[in-house]
Amino acid sequence: KENKKRKHTEEAEEVSEDQNSSVTQEPPIKAKKARKKELSKAEKKLANRERALEQADEDEEQKLLQNKAKQKKRAPHAITKNVVNSDTGTTVKQQKEKKVTDEMVNRRTVFVGNLPVNCTVQALKSLFKEYGQIKSIRFRSLVPAEDTLSKKLAAIKHKVHPNAKFVNAYVVFKEECDAIKALNENGTEIASGFHIRVDIASKTNSHDNKRSVFLGNLSYDISDDAVREHFSVCGDVVAVRIVRDRKTGLGKGFGYVLFENTDAVHLALKLNETVLMGRKIRVKRCGEKWKASQKSADQSRAPKDRVDTTLKNRRCSNDSFVGEKAVPLKKSTKLKRLRTLPRNKAGKNK
């Protein structure tokens, strides 16, 4: 009996296990494979067109957005272009202010030329201090003794080229009226053979051509005082300016002389082709270079003009007869027809 009971319980347990397994284990669901429908050629074309249209719409939208962004950027950039300079990084307003300040400083600055090389800052201060308060003095046109030295260092160490004899300077005053008073020192002899030239450094100061002459074919190592002495017989010399090379300090062969009045200019022109330091110098009015070239051009054309005038005189002499010009008749474009003779007359002529 016990064996039967055990078998019965075992069978009941097996049945319950089978029922539980049937509940938990469901049959696997077969994955339905999506069948791709094969599209026809017409459907493919339509799909491609729709994609192209969508892409075009997207591109147009992007372009519109880009244009709007550019327009927004242009407005501030347009203002900055007018205001900011890309090269210097400063605004136009700042540049204008700087120019104004520079011009104001130049009006208070005095240029002193034809100074000796051994001139010092203290010597210039003692010369100009009576006219007003001096803010600064700086030397220019220095020729260093060595190429490695800068002009500033050469001025501090007093290492100047032995051939250099002249130097220039700028004296800055505190007030503009003081700089104008300092012009009284123009032409004074600061050292033996050195008559200084004093002028306002402002660019607005124009050169008076009516009281000046141009000098050419000058010696390269000529001094301002040699030119002053040569033209002193013509009248009072206000200033002498020899154009020099910045690197070497030697003259470039030309310069200018400014006189007190215009009468001295007429006398100076008579010194043309006179000898100065072994050279025949050229003396002309300032601004006559172009006129001289025009005159030479006219002289070169003179023979042709003479031939033309002689021919005109021959043609239009009093003895010759001058008649009215005949108007030629217009030739008709129509072709003339040939006269046809009758056959009898044509045979008789033969």
Side-chain angles (χ1 to χ4, degrees), residues 4-20:
K4 286 180 181 180
K5 285 180 181 180
R6 285 179 184 173
K7 288 180 181 179
H8 183 74
T9 54
E10 287 176 0
E11 287 176 359
E13 287 174 0
E14 287 177 0
V15 169
S16 63
E17 286 176 2
D18 291 333
Q19 286 177 356
N20 291 328

Side-chain angles (χ1 to χ4, degrees), residues 14-15 19 22 38 46 59 111 113 131 151 156 183 197 217 224 227 229 255 261 265 291 317 319 328 349:
E14 287 177 0
V15 169
Q19 286 177 356
S22 64
E38 294 182 0
L46 285 169
D59 292 339
F111 170 81
Y131 299 106
K151 291 182 178 181
I156 294 166
L183 297 177
R197 179 167 63 93
N217 198 30
D224 291 8
V227 176
E229 188 178 352
N261 49 35
V265 174
K291 292 179 182 178
S317 60
D319 298 334
N349 288 335

Side-chain angles (χ1 to χ4, degrees), residues 151-169:
K151 291 182 178 181
K152 189 175 181 180
L153 191 62
I156 294 166
K157 293 185 176 182
H158 297 285
K159 290 186 177 181
V160 187
H161 199 275
N163 294 331
K165 299 175 183 178
F166 317 101
V167 71
N168 301 324

Side-chain angles (χ1 to χ4, degrees), residues 308-322:
D308 294 338
T309 52
T310 51
L311 287 171
K312 284 179 183 179
N313 290 330
R314 285 178 186 175
R315 289 174 184 172
C316 301
S317 60
N318 293 325
D319 298 334
S320 62
F321 173 76
V322 180

Side-chain angles (χ1 to χ4, degrees), residues 74-101:
R74 278 176 188 173
H77 275 297
I79 297 164
T80 53
K81 279 180 183 177
N82 294 327
V83 176
V84 179
N85 189 355
S86 59
D87 297 332
T88 57
T90 57
T91 60
V92 175
K93 190 177 180 180
Q94 288 175 352
Q95 288 177 357
K96 286 180 179 179
E97 288 176 357
K98 190 179 178 182
K99 284 181 181 178
V100 170
T101 52

Side-chain angles (χ1 to χ4, degrees), residues 329-336:
L329 295 171
K330 291 182 181 179
K331 292 182 180 180
S332 60
T333 55
K334 294 181 180 179
L335 295 171
K336 292 182 179 179

